[in-house]
Amino acid sequence: AQSVTQLDSQVPVFEEAPVELRCNYSSSVSVYLFWYVQYPNQGLQLLLKYLSGSTLVESINGFEAEFNKSQTSFHLRKPSVHISDTAEYFCAVSLYTGFQKLVFGTGTRLLVSP
Amino acid sequence: DAGVTQSPTHLIKTRGQHVTLRCSPISGHKSVSWYQQVLGQGPQFIFQYYEKEERGRGNFPDRFSARQFPNYSSELNVNALLLGDSALYLCASSSTGSNQPQHFGDGTRLSIL
């Protein structure tokens, strides 16, 4: 069975500092990997995705994630965070067995302080 | 283009009642999925519908049911509501293809008293 582990429930960081949000997954088959962001009282927004090809994927707002098959990880990084990055971040894996189902981690709350 | 829209945004019910939640997918998307997000947890998969047919179901009791209409919109129904059904219910749509990402609406916040 697939599972996703986000070890850090909360990550406090100062503005303009770098940050890494960790995600590890378990799966016996190839997977697609996603990061979603959730702002208060909103739904999930797709941040970035790994489907195939280059193991480093980037978003338009400065986040990047690297797929590491040997370590079954898909950590999210940003070299310099802003106050507006404060949100809940969810890592998810997708397995297609006739239908697509996303399995989410428990989320990491990123708290950016001035 | 409009994103995934869900209605209502908030709903308050009492135990034993039933509820219907609605979702309109992104134009051109034929697949709709429903997720339940309990406070402090990640979303849990409930259903996926494609071309009006149920394609997958998560580990939820039969009190949960859904359907998809010819215009690809969808309804989630929950009967005999329990306190534990209090959650944010999220709808997601995607285009055809196993690697297509799911796009989420803002959800319906359901509170059971």
Side-chain angles (χ1 to χ4, degrees):
Chain A
Q2 291 175 294
S3 66
V4 177
T5 301
Q6 292 182 251
L7 289 172
D8 306 304
S9 60
Q10 187 166 291
V11 174
V13 64
F14 289 109
E15 193 174 19
E16 298 183 5
V19 70
E20 179 179 80
L21 306 183
R22 295 179 293 170
C23 172
N24 289 87
Y25 70 92
S26 65
S27 176
S28 58
V29 297
S30 297
V31 297
Y32 303 127
L33 295 159
F34 304 88
W35 275 99
Y36 284 87
V37 58
Q38 186 174 37
Y39 298 101
N41 300 313
Q42 293 187 24
L44 302 176
Q45 297 178 27
L46 180 64
L47 191 58
L48 44 75
K49 60 187 178 186
Y50 171 78
L51 304 178
S52 64
S54 173
T55 57
L56 185 65
V57 291
E58 299 177 352
S59 72
I60 58 174
N61 55 357
F63 283 95
E64 63 178 31
E66 186 162 17
F67 169 60
N68 188 319
K69 188 174 182 179
S70 62
Q71 297 186 6
T72 59
S73 67
F74 190 54
H75 301 331
L76 181 69
R77 295 188 291 262
K78 189 171 185 178
S80 176
V81 296
H82 303 290
I83 296 287
S84 60
D85 292 326
T86 294
E88 190 88 20
Y89 291 79
F90 291 95
C91 181
V93 300
S94 171
L95 174 65
Y96 189 83
T97 54
F99 68 97
Q100 186 195 60
K101 167 187 170 181
L102 289 175
V103 175
F104 288 88
T106 51
T108 296
R109 178 166 295 280
L110 177 63
L111 295 171
V112 183
S113 304
Chain B
D1 289 341
V4 177
T5 57
Q6 293 187 242
S7 63
T9 55
H10 294 85
L11 204 51
I12 299 176
K13 292 286 187 178
T14 58
R15 284 178 295 176
Q17 287 188 309
H18 70 273
V19 67
T20 298
L21 310 180
R22 296 177 175 81
C23 170
S24 292
I26 292 171
S27 178
H29 286 188
K30 298 181 179 180
S31 177
V32 170
S33 299
W34 287 94
Y35 292 81
Q36 180 196 65
Q37 185 179 19
V38 174
L39 196 63
Q41 298 183 19
Q44 298 289 318
F45 173 77
I46 309 175
F47 286 111
Q48 187 185 79
Y49 276 77
Y50 177 74
E51 291 281 12
K52 298 174 286 181
E53 297 288 329
E54 181 183 304
R55 300 297 295 274
R57 184 187 181 107
N59 187 26
F60 281 82
D62 291 343
R63 299 185 295 110
F64 288 76
S65 63
R67 56 179 176 170
Q68 187 177 32
F69 299 98
N71 66 354
Y72 303 112
S73 67
S74 177
E75 286 182 353
L76 175 69
N77 295 284
V78 187
N79 294 323
L81 288 167
L82 304 174
L83 293 177
D85 295 331
S86 294
L88 180 67
Y89 288 85
L90 296 164
C91 174
S93 74
S94 61
S95 56
T96 305
S98 62
N99 62 352
Q100 295 304 308
Q102 296 186 13
H103 299 270
F104 286 80
D106 284 341
T108 294
R109 174 73 63 187
L110 176 63
S111 299
I112 310 301
L113 302 180

